[in-house]
């Protein structure tokens, strides 16, 4: 059936009410157009359906930002990320203070600190931020997909 | 709102009737926002038994939506008047 793939994809990526109000009518119109119009109308109809999916994402994003609890969520996520960043910064600090450039224990020689270039530090910071942020986001963000509930057509 | 005032329509019909002012990708988002504000209401069309595909969603203007539309038209006309015209 035309539009089933878009529908299945949208069900996994947008909220249920958004799917029902924005994506589902677009798919229904695509299917109606496919059955009543000639085939050269189809590409434009498909683009319209995909644009409706993109519109649904934007709509969902706007709704998420407007949620009253969003500010609290942001603070929690930022706090968890900062905690992990602090942990990695602490580890790096201990390493630079206690190890020499060959990885041997040599407290207060600060060889690693002098050997590090600004680009190395920037890369380490980005890596620490990434490995702090990704697991926090993966664990805290709820699954927004509408799932595989049966459609009226099915 | 002008397009929905006379009768119930579905999204694609609105796009075709708007003569390019509404795009098929954004019409449903616009309608969803209007529905959230109470300007329009929608229902899924009744399907014949055995019909395949998703049912279309039909939209129509609410009384509140039509009042808001009328108020908006009045406001637009009032703002269009220049102060000199209003005094005359």
């Amino acid at each position: 059936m035309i539009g089933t793939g878009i529908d299945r994809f949208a069900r996994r990526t947008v909220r249920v009410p958004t799917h029902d109000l924005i994506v589902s009518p677009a798919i229904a119109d695509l299917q109606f157009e496919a059955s009543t119009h000639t085939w050269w109308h189809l590409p434009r109809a498909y683009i319209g359906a995909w644009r409706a999916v993109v519109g649904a994402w934007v709509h969902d994003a706007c709704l998420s930002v407007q949620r009253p609890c969003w500010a609290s969520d942001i603070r929690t996520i930022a706090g968890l990320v900062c905690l992990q960043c602090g942990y990695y910064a602490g580890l790096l600090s201990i390493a630079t203070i206690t190890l020499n450039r060959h990885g041997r224990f040599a407290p207060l020689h600060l060889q690693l600190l002098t050997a590090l270039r600004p680009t190395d530090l920037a890369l380490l910071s980005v890596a620490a931020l990434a490995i702090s942020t990704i697991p926090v986001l993966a664990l805290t963000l709820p699954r927004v997909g509408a799932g595989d509930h049966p459609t009226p057509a099915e | 709102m002008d397009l929905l005032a006379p009768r119930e329509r579905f999204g694609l019909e609105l796009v075709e009737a708007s003569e390019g002012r509404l795009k098929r990708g954004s019409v449903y988002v616009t309608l969803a926002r209007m529905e959230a504000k109470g300007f329009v209401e929608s229902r899924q069309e009744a399907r014949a038994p055995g019909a395949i595909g998703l049912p279309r969603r039909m939209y129509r203007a609410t009384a509140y939506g039509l009042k808001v539309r009328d108020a908006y038209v009045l406001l637009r006309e009032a703002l269009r008047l220049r102060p000199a015209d209003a005094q005359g």
Side-chain angles (χ1 to χ4, degrees):
Chain A
M1 189 74 202
I2 280 178
T4 312
I6 304 175
D7 188 48
R8 199 176 299 133
F9 174 75
R11 279 176 191 279
R12 284 181 165 79
T13 53
V14 300
R15 294 169 204 274
V16 178
T18 309
H19 177 272
D20 291 346
L21 282 177
I22 296 175
V23 180
S24 185
I27 305 281
D29 282 354
L30 168 68
Q31 290 171 348
F32 172 77
E33 203 168 7
S35 62
T36 55
H37 289 61
T38 42
W39 66 269
W40 58 80
H41 283 90
L42 272 185
R44 216 171 54 152
Y46 265 110
I47 290 169
W50 276 112
R51 286 182 65 187
V53 174
V54 173
W57 290 339
V58 174
H59 185 74
D60 263 358
C62 292
L63 286 180
S64 298
V65 170
Q66 288 165 4
R67 273 193 307 158
C69 60
W70 180 250
S72 166
D73 290 349
I74 288 286
R75 273 198 297 272
T76 307
I77 290 170
L80 288 170
V81 169
C82 285
L83 198 70
Q84 292 198 62
C85 278
Y87 172 73
Y88 293 122
L91 280 183
L92 284 173
S93 303
I94 292 169
T96 51
I97 290 169
T98 57
L99 300 178
N100 64 14
R101 66 180 63 195
H102 305 295
R104 299 272 171 80
F105 184 65
L108 299 176
H109 281 203
L110 302 180
Q111 287 182 337
L112 271 180
L113 194 61
T114 51
L116 281 175
R117 291 168 299 175
T119 48
D120 298 333
L121 274 176
L123 277 175
L124 278 172
S125 305
V126 170
L129 189 65
I131 56 177
S132 305
T133 308
I134 291 167
V136 171
L137 288 181
L139 290 173
T140 53
L141 288 184
R143 187 168 182 268
V144 297
D148 276 334
H149 58 79
T151 63
E154 290 165 0
Chain B
M1 289 302 294
D2 291 337
L3 296 170
L4 287 171
R7 67 182 175 87
E8 204 175 37
R9 291 178 192 259
F10 60 94
L12 191 61
E13 210 177 353
L14 284 169
V15 172
E16 284 167 359
S18 72
E19 294 168 348
R21 280 176 296 163
L22 286 173
K23 303 291 178 197
R24 56 176 72 212
S26 59
V27 66
Y28 304 104
V29 180
T30 309
L31 287 166
R33 286 180 183 160
M34 288 171 77
E35 190 166 2
K37 289 175 180 167
F39 298 159
V40 300
E41 57 190 8
S42 68
R43 65 173 181 88
Q44 286 195 330
E45 70 172 348
R47 302 301 302 274
I52 55 167
L54 294 171
R56 288 177 299 175
R57 189 168 277 271
M58 311 294 288
Y59 298 89
R60 73 172 175 194
T62 60
Y64 171 65
L66 292 174
K67 275 187 182 173
V68 170
R69 190 269 314 256
D70 294 342
Y72 173 73
V73 170
L74 279 176
L75 180 68
R76 199 172 55 184
E77 290 301 317
L79 291 175
R80 193 175 290 166
L81 288 174
R82 290 174 302 175
D85 296 337
Q87 284 169 7

